[in-house]
Amino acid sequence: MASAAADEQCYGFTPMPSISTFLGATLQYSTAERICCDNHRYAEFRGYLEAPEVDLFGRLDPTVETVFYDSVCGIPLFIAPRGRSFEEFKEESLHHGWPSFRPEEIVSENVIIHDNGRMESRCLTHLGHNLPDDGIDRYCIDLVCMAGEPLSTDDERAKILTLMHESAIHNDEFNATTYASSAEDFSGKYTKFPTKFIIGAASVVAAALIYFFGIRPLLKKRRKIEQWNEIE
């Protein structure tokens, strides 16, 4: 086990071993270690949450809210479903391929949303990205990074809790029933790349259309006129 370091992802630690059997599922520990603590860009594969050995929504109790904890330091990150039905939570998550949360469901004090949309916990665990839908933030999160549980006092990772920002909510202070998120519906923090890419692609397509249906026919007509002039 590495020692805690303030400038390292996950403070130099690794996910807790218990994530491998989260809710009775079988999660790949190596995937969690790579995605959560050694990465800022990549994700578990799309649809991982419904793989037979995982089957997230088949294991959740649809009659209650579930608290999802950080896979490294065990702080609460999301409470779901909240403000919507279990079926709505399930449908949106399965549609996108990753667990998807809304502003009302995030423990806002414990999650950082960077300007480019990348999300990490106060433990510096990579979580996923903010990908808004219809003007409302939607948090697309890697299951392996939110499959933790509150740490025991003798767990070496507990040292992380002393290094977190003072605004973070610890488990002994957290009451899921009364908690209300302070997250904005639309933070404005998300990757702008797709929009720029679409605009750029549209410009290329428009230029191609102008050439093939505008400039190219004119060039052909001009060549024909020149050829007739040569014959005459």
Side-chain angles (χ1 to χ4, degrees):
M1 177 70 65
S3 60
D7 59 347
E8 286 187 71
Q9 197 170 354
C10 298
Y11 285 105
F13 287 91
T14 55
M16 57 186 74
S18 61
I19 67 160
S20 297
T21 55
F22 175 65
L23 295 178
T26 301
L27 303 186
Q28 289 293 328
Y29 186 85
S30 58
T31 299
E33 189 172 17
R34 183 176 69 256
I35 297 297
C36 311
C37 295
D38 192 25
N39 160 69
H40 282 166
R41 295 181 57 192
Y42 301 106
E44 65 199 20
F45 68 80
R46 181 174 184 174
Y48 183 67
L49 76 171
E50 57 180 331
E53 71 276 14
V54 179
D55 186 24
L56 174 63
F57 287 98
R59 300 176 189 278
L60 295 176
D61 184 343
T63 66
V64 300
E65 295 179 333
T66 297
V67 179
F68 295 90
Y69 297 91
D70 187 283
S71 290
V72 178
C73 70
I75 58 173
L77 302 174
F78 302 98
I79 313 165
R82 177 163 287 189
R84 57 178 172 170
S85 69
F86 180 83
E87 284 304 315
E88 288 171 326
F89 172 39
K90 175 181 176 180
E91 182 180 355
E92 182 173 70
S93 298
L94 294 180
H95 172 72
H96 291 286
W98 289 270
S100 293
F101 301 92
R102 294 295 183 164
E104 193 173 350
E105 298 169 324
I106 189 174
V107 181
S108 50
E109 294 84 354
N110 288 353
V111 179
I112 303 165
I113 307 176
H114 294 280
D115 288 341
N116 65 357
R118 187 179 71 81
M119 299 177 66
E120 65 182 354
S121 74
R122 287 291 179 187
C123 307
L124 305 186
T125 304
H126 175 74
L127 300 176
H129 292 83
N130 180 29
L131 303 171
D133 275 344
D134 300 323
I136 299 177
D137 283 359
R138 179 180 64 82
Y139 316 122
C140 193
I141 306 300
D142 290 296
L143 175 60
V144 293
C145 301
M146 56 162 212
E149 59 187 10
L151 293 176
S152 61
T153 55
D154 60 348
D155 192 309
E156 190 177 5
R157 296 172 183 79
K159 183 176 181 179
I160 299 174
L161 304 179
T162 67
L163 301 173
M164 294 190 306
H165 191 275
E166 60 183 12
S167 64
I169 297 179
H170 294 241
N171 284 300
D172 58 358
E173 308 166 318
F174 181 69
N175 184 319
T177 303
T178 60
Y179 178 79
S181 177
S182 61
E184 302 173 287
D185 281 348
F186 181 66
S187 64
K189 298 177 179 180
Y190 63 97
T191 177
K192 309 303 190 294
F193 174 76
T195 301
K196 291 180 179 179
F197 178 79
I198 290 169
I199 292 173
S203 298
V204 171
V205 171
L209 290 174
I210 291 172
Y211 174 76
F212 282 104
F213 294 101
I215 298 175
R216 190 180 183 191
L218 288 174
L219 291 174
K220 284 186 174 181
K221 185 176 181 180
R222 181 177 176 180
R223 290 194 194 102
K224 287 182 179 180
I225 292 172
E226 290 174 349
Q227 288 172 355
W228 278 109
N229 288 337
E230 289 175 2
I231 293 172
E232 293 175 352

